Amino acid sequence: MATSAATIEHVGHAHAAEPSFIRKYIFSTDHKIIGIQFLFMSLLFLLFGGLLAMAIRWQQGYPGSPMPGGGVLPETMAPGGILVPEFYNSLVTMHGTFMVFFAIMPLLVGVYANYLIPLKIGAPDMAFPRLNMASFWIAVPAGILMMAGFFVEGGHSGAGWTVYAPLSANPEYSGVSLGQVFWCVSIIVLGLSSILGATNYITTIINMRAPGMKWFRMPLSIWALFVTSVLVLLAIPILSGAVIMLLFDQTIGTRFFLPELGGEPLLWQHLFWFFGHPEVYILILPAMGMVSDIIANGSRKPIFGYHSMVYAIIGIAFLGWIVWGHHMFQSGMNPTLGTTFMISTMLIAVPSAIKVFNWLGTMWRGNITFTVPMLHAVAFVAMFVIGGLSGVFMASTPVDIYIHDTYFIVAHLHYVLFGGSLFAIFGAITFWYPKMFGRMMNPVWGKVHFGLTFVFYNLVFFPMHSLGLEGHMRRIYDPTEYEFLAGVQGTNEFITIAAFLLFATQLIFMINFLGSLFRGARAPANPWNDNGLEWVAPSPPPHGNFAETPTVYRGPYEFSNPNVEEDFLPQNRKLPGDPEPAALAAGR
Amino acid sequence: MDWILPPGASTFAGEIDGIYYLILGITGLAFVIVEAALIIFLIKYRNRPGRKAYYTHGSMKAEVIRTAVPAVVVVMIGILSGGVWDRIKGRDSIPAGAYPLAVHGSQFEWNVTYPGPDGTLGTTDDFSKRNQLHIPVNTPIRVRLTAEDVIHSFFIPAFRIKQDAVPGMEIDLWFEPTQTGEYELACAELCGLGHYRMRAAVTVHTAEGFGRWMTDESQTVAQN
Amino acid sequence: MAHAAVMRPPTEAEVGAGVYNEKLGMWVFLGSEVMFFTALIGSYIILRFANPEAWQPPGEVLAVPITAVNTFLLICSSVTMVKAFASAQDGNQKALSLWLLATVIIGASFVGVQAYEYRELIHHGFVPSEGLYGSTFYIMTGFHGFHVTLGVLCMMFVTWKAFRGKYTATDHRGVEVIGLYWHFVDLVWIILFTIVYLI
């Protein structure tokens, strides 16, 4: 067994000189603490994004009625509790902005890339721990700035999370000036945090895998986080550049996107979606990776087609760069381009289908236990299928003529982001909670939360397909303006009530999450009988993670291996006959 | 929940709705197969005392088949769709002799310019109306779409037509209504605080009715 | 004995990139910088092809001769950087410090000349809001200048460390890493100079 002098020193160091509370929990360079910091920050923003959604749903269900609790809002937002159109536009904008940038992305990447990567590849920490700390502490002011936009004159940006120019670039058209500036600066700052993070994750995975942790022995969660980090590294700078141009158009009079004096509104869309499509794969790939880990664990079987799963992740990431125009079919761009983007978009269904079939293949002839993480992972598959299939409709250019910018799109994106990513996140939080906090979340309440969330979630978002098919547009302050929508206002009301119930249900998760920190059952090192290296370390692991650098002898999914009696076989357990990895033998 | 499209009233509805139902059928089938398999597996392979999972890493043969089939299906959908798309949005798709209109979207109204009795846009007998689109049935209509300030989107659900209006661009679109009646034109791209009420009334007349309307309107305009 | 052979890939690990972490990290980070400048330069190319009449011929608005000299200066600073790195590899502390100092001075001069250029252009009415030409010129050269400035600041820190003898023949990672960044910034400028000033 290899000994790492540096690692022992590291671990020993933690015992010898105990850092102050500030160094240990606030300005920590430990990837685990930073991951947990991101967790608390993101969950707060998730809650906030959900609150915004409740206001949106109130207005959709009961347009023009005073919103309960709306009395606390200022006159500029909701006089007498009745939302005004400008504020409604800000609500939809900020719901999307907070959920995408401050909830889902940091939950998947900021939390799990940070927490899992060193542990699951057998490293003591990230390649650049101080840079990692900087990543978090740069994200915090970005979040504060984004919140602050609500309180400035003119209110927050109301141009959609996609902030299309010219509406976003000219305060005369939107009535919003400082709010849009705050939005832009916040996104630029957050982008820096993400890019620094991605640099760390990529370097760590390439250079710091423990001996024997070959590329094709890495868990799919790490493969997914690696590929996602490459997407972040390459796509976020495009957004940064575009947002800087937008900021300049708005503040110093440049003309990138404003048609007077030659700017091109469509240039904004091309830039934004060139970032934006890889972005949506950033928002799903880590979820897919973690779901793979959890389904293999819950089925007590190796992942079906591990290599194909890796290639599918890479394929999705690669193809994701050449489909951006499918957000722009009706934009006025050359229709022939539309056809080419349609073909590439149809093709991206293929690697996604591979993954779905392989998750099914993993469960097939397995020995399935319905732990709370497994329930969420299975729901992910079921919901992602719906979200993916609904995507085929909008990939077809002629059908998109009808459903573009309707609630059909809203249904699709929520099936993949909520039914997909968020269920995966709930599952991941529950699965790795014992490792993070040394305690178990309550499984009974976990199942109750899962069941109610699953039911209410589908009651909210499935009917939205139907709304879209009736022609119900997006981002509409008052659907009752239109006779052709009169027949579906009842559906709107139904969705609203289900949404309130969905939101209320999350209280169960909040109480379970927070309460278990203090009252949860103490967790053993490996409560799920899993094979990953993180379960080798104690729950929670000390600074430096491992007393000795682990040595890896096999892949991550050796469940029900006939060579051993237990139904799991950790990656670092040496069986007679297992060769030592070459990296050790070389004695570098 | 309702997956049936509302009635269409243009020549596009047949083709677009057709592709939609084809996709619905294919994805619906895929949905049933996959979700049923999922549920069956969850029940059949659930943990019971003494049960062991089957140790396998996969099957390349199964994977190839399960990859090839969706690939072929989606490409086929793409090819069928491409044809319909060309006929609707293609740069050369506008029928010769289509009745010309100009529509100018601005915050927050649709300004429709009619060619007047001479049937030609850009002449002195043209006139404009706010938020009122009048057209004759069974006649291809050509619209030159422009925008004043921000991006709007010209959306008539019943005609299955949607086209973004972009400031600085002149975009041509066409459609052919097949039923007389009253319909609605909505803006389908967030354009500011009045986006939700950027609505126009669409009236499809019979050929004679449209002629009478045109005569009445241009006389009113000439008087003013 | 703490970390041995830090200029080599990490020990106790699978074969990765074959270089030490800091070097790999800088290469990875430069990937993001490539994409950032691609967004700006790509937009410039698209806008210029769509609106060629918005641009004056080269030399009419921008001062090509002075900028050509400035370009030469920046290339020189890459040469001094290479010499600095070679000195570090040889363990020659004095040469390292002096070559780094030269790089700082030349780099700072580049920024100074750019700043002077900006002042002159603005004085003559060529401002970011004049139209597409101004918008694209200032955003590309401005962010390049911003990156050079950050590079100069980091280079000053590295130079200060060199003067204090912190780099040895066996560990001069900081020198190599800032060198990589510096060469990248130089390369971007050569591209910008060509497509903004000469075409």
Side-chain angles (χ1 to χ4, degrees):
Chain A
M1 191 79 85
T3 322
S4 165
T7 324
I8 283 185
E9 217 177 272
H10 218 123
V11 172
H13 178 264
H15 294 312
E18 191 69 8
S20 68
F21 180 85
I22 302 258
R23 290 305 324 240
K24 201 168 167 191
Y25 294 115
I26 313 290
F27 291 108
S28 168
T29 58
D30 186 313
H31 71 100
K32 302 183 290 297
I33 302 295
I34 295 170
I36 293 173
Q37 287 174 320
F38 269 113
L39 182 62
F40 280 100
M41 182 190 90
S42 317
L43 287 176
L44 273 169
F45 280 122
L46 183 70
L47 178 65
F48 183 66
L51 272 169
L52 297 178
M54 293 306 105
I56 295 169
R57 279 321 314 173
W58 174 266
Q59 176 62 22
Q60 291 290 279
Y62 309 104
S65 302
M67 184 172 73
V72 306
L73 294 170
E75 291 284 302
T76 46
M77 294 180 186
I82 302 176
L83 306 177
V84 297
E86 305 92 300
F87 182 57
Y88 181 78
N89 289 349
S90 300
L91 283 173
V92 300
T93 304
M94 286 308 137
H95 169 73
T97 301
F98 276 108
M99 285 307 203
V100 168
F101 291 111
F102 291 93
I104 302 294
M105 236 179 113
L107 274 169
L108 287 174
V109 184
V111 179
Y112 288 103
N114 257 310
Y115 198 84
L116 294 180
I117 290 175
L119 281 170
K120 287 183 86 76
I121 65 173
D125 205 305
M126 287 287 179
F128 311 116
R130 281 171 304 173
L131 197 69
N132 207 13
M133 179 175 75
S135 266
F136 176 74
W137 285 107
I138 292 173
V140 172
I144 294 173
L145 193 59
M146 191 58 86
M147 293 289 292
F150 279 110
F151 302 105
V152 300
E153 197 177 320
H156 220 324
S157 171
W161 86 281
T162 49
V163 286
Y164 277 13
L167 180 65
S168 55
N170 190 333
E172 270 175 46
Y173 298 146
S174 62
V176 176
S177 109
L178 200 52
Q180 186 63 58
V181 171
F182 278 26
W183 189 97
C184 290
V185 176
S186 166
I187 292 296
I188 293 165
V189 172
L190 188 70
L192 181 64
S193 159
S194 301
I195 291 168
L196 293 178
T199 305
N200 229 331
Y201 311 143
I202 294 170
T203 306
T204 305
I205 290 174
I206 292 178
N207 257 13
M208 293 175 70
R209 288 165 289 124
M213 181 60 80
K214 301 193 247 226
W215 283 97
F216 282 98
R217 283 184 180 167
M218 288 204 312
L220 288 170
S221 51
I222 305 302
W223 265 111
L225 287 165
F226 177 70
V227 172
T228 301
S229 300
V230 174
L231 288 179
V232 169
L233 185 82
L234 300 178
I236 295 280
I238 305 277
L239 177 69
S240 310
V243 171
I244 288 171
M245 286 190 253
L246 180 66
L247 184 62
F248 283 4
D249 266 13
Q250 215 210 339
T251 51
I252 67 174
T254 52
R255 288 274 169 266
F256 299 105
F257 311 120
L258 297 166
E260 316 88 54
L261 294 178
E264 301 269 355
L266 255 49
L267 177 63
W268 167 261
Q269 290 183 45
H270 281 292
L271 284 167
F272 181 84
W273 287 117
F274 190 63
F275 145 78
H277 202 85
E279 167 70 7
V280 313
Y281 291 113
I282 291 169
L283 296 171
I284 196 76
L285 284 174
M288 289 176 157
M290 295 192 289
V291 158
S292 290
D293 285 6
I294 294 172
I295 288 185
N297 178 283
S299 307
R300 315 312 289 166
K301 254 187 87 197
I303 275 283
F304 194 98
Y306 168 83
H307 283 77
S308 312
M309 290 296 249
V310 173
Y311 296 131
I313 291 174
I314 295 172
I316 290 171
F318 195 71
L319 280 172
W321 286 99
I322 57 170
V323 299
W324 83 90
H326 69 222
H327 301 272
M328 295 172 62
F329 284 150
Q330 321 307 335
S331 66
M333 77 175 177
N334 188 331
T336 313
L337 274 181
T339 306
T340 52
F341 280 116
M342 166 167 68
I343 303 295
S344 52
T345 305
M346 289 288 181
L347 286 175
I348 211 163
V350 177
S352 308
I354 293 175
K355 295 192 81 68
V356 169
F357 290 139
N358 283 356
W359 286 315
L360 285 175
T362 305
M363 288 185 261
W364 168 73
R365 295 185 67 179
N367 186 12
I368 301 172
T369 29
F370 294 102
T371 60
V372 172
M374 184 63 173
L375 287 169
H376 282 101
V378 170
F380 171 94
V381 177
M383 300 297 100
F384 177 75
V385 165
I386 297 177
L389 289 175
S390 66
V392 180
F393 291 87
M394 52 202 75
S396 164
T397 38
V399 178
D400 184 69
I401 295 175
Y402 186 61
I403 59 177
H404 169 67
D405 239 294
T406 66
Y407 262 81
F408 197 92
I409 311 292
V410 178
H412 163 75
L413 74 91
H414 283 94
Y415 261 88
V416 285
L417 279 177
F418 189 140
S421 305
L422 192 55
F423 271 98
I425 286 167
F426 284 139
I429 290 178
T430 313
F431 194 69
W432 280 290
Y433 190 96
K435 189 55 57 183
M436 279 186 180
F437 302 112
R439 294 187 187 257
M440 307 295 290
M441 284 177 77
N442 184 302
V444 173
W445 286 113
K447 290 183 182 172
V448 171
H449 166 254
F450 167 76
L452 290 174
T453 301
F454 185 79
V455 168
F456 292 137
Y457 157 81
N458 279 294
L459 291 180
V460 171
F461 293 106
F462 201 75
M464 287 190 185
H465 293 104
S466 170
L467 284 185
L469 293 172
E470 286 295 317
H472 195 309
M473 300 80 71
R474 290 173 76 166
R475 302 162 167 178
I476 295 289
Y477 169 74
D478 188 349
T480 61
E481 283 280 319
Y482 297 88
E483 279 164 42
F484 75 91
L485 294 180
V488 293
Q489 188 53 28
T491 306
N492 257 327
E493 211 181 312
F494 175 86
I495 291 173
T496 294
I497 295 171
F500 292 154
L501 291 168
L502 177 64
F503 186 74
T505 304
Q506 304 319 303
L507 197 63
I508 301 176
F509 178 80
M510 273 197 284
I511 296 176
N512 196 358
F513 179 83
L514 292 172
S516 303
L517 290 173
F518 308 101
R519 313 249 325 247
R522 292 267 175 207
N526 193 357
W528 312 108
N529 286 339
D530 194 63
N531 297 328
L533 290 181
E534 75 270 34
W535 308 104
V536 170
S539 297
H543 191 55
N545 295 338
F546 304 100
E548 300 173 335
T549 306
T551 306
V552 174
Y553 298 99
R554 65 187 59 77
Y557 302 119
E558 290 304 298
F559 295 101
S560 302
N561 185 307
N563 294 325
V564 293
E565 211 188 296
E566 306 85 357
D567 70 352
F568 70 106
L569 180 49
Q571 289 192 267
N572 70 326
R573 179 175 155 194
K574 183 170 176 170
L575 295 179
D578 280 337
E580 290 294 320
L584 279 183
R588 291 161 53 236
Chain B
M1 282 293 125
D2 196 356
W3 287 84
I4 309 291
L5 293 172
S10 83
T11 53
F12 293 159
E15 286 202 283
I16 289 179
D17 291 13
I19 301 271
Y20 164 79
Y21 285 117
L22 174 70
I23 296 175
L24 182 65
I26 294 173
T27 54
L29 186 64
F31 169 76
V32 168
I33 293 175
V34 173
E35 305 286 13
L38 183 64
I39 294 171
I40 291 171
F41 289 178
L42 291 174
I43 298 172
K44 194 166 168 197
Y45 303 116
R46 72 191 185 284
N47 170 260
R48 272 154 286 157
R51 186 177 167 69
K52 268 199 94 97
Y54 170 53
Y55 178 75
T56 174
H57 289 95
S59 154
M60 194 42 89
K61 184 165 148 220
E63 292 219 56
V64 168
I65 295 173
R66 291 181 325 192
T67 305
V69 169
V72 166
V73 169
V74 292
V75 170
M76 194 195 78
I77 295 176
I79 292 172
L80 280 169
S81 300
V84 177
W85 174 253
D86 278 339
R87 286 191 281 284
I88 297 175
K89 291 278 185 117
R91 286 268 154 94
D92 304 319
S93 64
I94 302 182
Y99 188 81
L101 294 175
V103 174
H104 189 68
S106 62
Q107 287 180 322
F108 298 103
E109 60 188 36
W110 297 102
N111 244 286
V112 185
T113 303
Y114 295 88
D118 73 350
T120 311
L121 271 180
T123 53
T124 45
D125 67 349
D126 294 0
F127 61 92
S128 295
K129 294 207 71 91
R130 235 182 96 238
N131 291 332
Q132 280 187 55
L133 181 64
H134 291 261
I135 41 187
V137 74
N138 295 325
T139 313
I141 313 290
R142 165 161 63 88
V143 172
R144 169 141 293 188
L145 189 62
T146 49
E148 176 71 24
D149 35 37
V150 300
I151 300 178
H152 300 275
S153 193
F154 181 91
F155 179 39
I156 305 176
F159 298 167
R160 309 288 191 261
I161 186 67
K162 180 183 287 122
Q163 176 57 56
D164 283 5
V166 184
M169 287 175 79
E170 286 180 349
I171 300 169
D172 289 327
L173 64 103
W174 78 280
F175 55 91
E176 180 176 330
T178 52
Q179 279 178 44
T180 55
E182 301 286 327
Y183 305 96
E184 286 168 285
L185 162 65
C187 179
E189 184 58 57
L190 180 61
C191 59
L193 66 89
H195 167 61
Y196 73 101
R197 50 177 166 80
M198 193 163 155
R199 176 188 174 278
V202 181
T203 311
V204 179
H205 301 265
T206 58
E208 312 79 47
F210 183 75
R212 268 178 275 123
W213 176 84
M214 177 58 69
T215 315
D216 287 343
E217 282 299 319
S218 40
Q219 277 175 355
T220 318
V221 167
Q223 280 162 11
N224 296 342
Chain C
M1 190 170 72
H3 305 276
V6 289
M7 297 290 291
R8 301 225 259 111
T11 53
E12 301 300 333
E14 277 290 314
V15 176
V19 295
Y20 56 93
N21 286 350
E22 288 80 358
K23 187 166 168 179
L24 175 61
M26 178 52 78
W27 275 109
V28 170
F29 175 70
L30 289 178
S32 78
E33 294 279 53
V34 167
M35 294 310 279
F36 177 71
F37 281 103
T38 299
L40 301 184
I41 295 175
S43 299
Y44 162 69
I45 293 173
I46 290 171
L47 288 170
R48 186 152 181 189
F49 264 103
N51 305 277
E53 70 288 349
W55 269 261
Q56 266 98 310
E60 256 183 48
V61 176
L62 306 173
V64 177
I66 289 190
T67 317
V69 171
N70 219 14
T71 306
F72 174 71
L73 276 183
L74 198 61
I75 296 174
C76 286
S77 74
S78 266
V79 173
T80 55
M81 186 67 233
V82 169
K83 299 292 260 177
F85 181 62
S87 309
Q89 285 177 310
D90 292 339
N92 187 338
Q93 298 289 353
K94 186 148 176 253
L96 167 65
S97 306
L98 291 175
W99 282 119
L100 281 175
L101 187 62
T103 312
V104 169
I105 291 171
I106 303 176
S109 310
F110 176 88
V111 179
V113 171
Q114 283 294 92
Y116 168 78
E117 271 301 292
Y118 272 25
R119 244 195 57 191
E120 288 297 299
L121 288 168
I122 291 170
H123 190 65
H124 285 104
F126 184 67
V127 290
S129 51
E130 70 83 52
L132 288 180
Y133 192 3
S135 302
T136 51
F137 171 79
Y138 280 103
I139 208 174
M140 286 189 291
T141 58
F143 272 95
H144 176 262
F146 173 68
H147 280 81
V148 175
T149 307
L150 285 181
V152 168
L153 291 171
C154 293
M155 191 76 70
M156 284 165 66
F157 176 66
V158 171
T159 308
W160 176 72
K161 274 181 80 168
F163 271 104
R164 295 185 60 202
K166 295 289 184 182
Y167 298 113
T168 63
T170 47
D171 186 0
H172 44 275
R173 287 172 290 170
V175 178
E176 185 167 25
V177 162
I178 190 67
L180 279 173
Y181 179 82
W182 196 253
H183 296 315
F184 171 76
V185 150
D186 190 6
L187 180 63
V188 171
W189 179 251
I190 292 171
I191 296 171
L192 280 186
F193 180 64
T194 311
I195 65 174
V196 173
Y197 285 83
L198 297 184
I199 296 183

